[in-house]
Amino acid sequence: MKFSATELLAKPGKIRVDFSVAQGSAPHNFVVPRIPAAHTSIVSAGESQSVTFTVTEPGDYPVVCTLHPNMTATLKIT
Ligand SMILES: [Cu+2]
């Protein structure tokens, strides 16, 4: 189980993530622990959810699926 992109690149400002879970997959979520507004709820297979949040500080922000701690990615704000 993994994110299809391990690096997400964006500029500071308002960011929208469209998160979708593949058919036949386990449920997953998309959570950026350092950004409280940046999380989806648990998304079932074949479904999707968008989340919009604002980041002002450049940096690397870890992304996790809280159901599967080995699922990680990085949101890179440059
Ligand atoms: Cu997961």
Side-chain angles (χ1 to χ4, degrees):
M1 291 185 270
K2 60 184 174 61
F3 288 109
S4 57
T6 55
E7 281 193 355
L8 303 170
L9 307 178
K11 300 288 182 196
K14 194 173 179 185
I15 294 168
R16 188 179 101 190
V17 173
D18 297 327
F19 179 69
S20 55
V21 176
Q23 288 285 358
S25 172
H28 300 291
N29 60 11
F30 176 97
V31 177
V32 187
R34 286 174 56 195
I35 308 171
H39 65 89
T40 67
S41 53
I42 294 171
V43 179
S44 301
E47 299 191 344
S48 59
Q49 193 175 334
S50 297
V51 60
T52 303
F53 51 93
T54 300
V55 185
T56 54
E57 285 289 310
D60 287 358
Y61 294 81
V63 176
V64 296
C65 167
T66 59
L67 302 180
H68 307 109
N70 291 338
M71 276 181 69
T72 59
T74 304
L75 171 64
K76 289 180 171 286
I77 307 296
T78 57

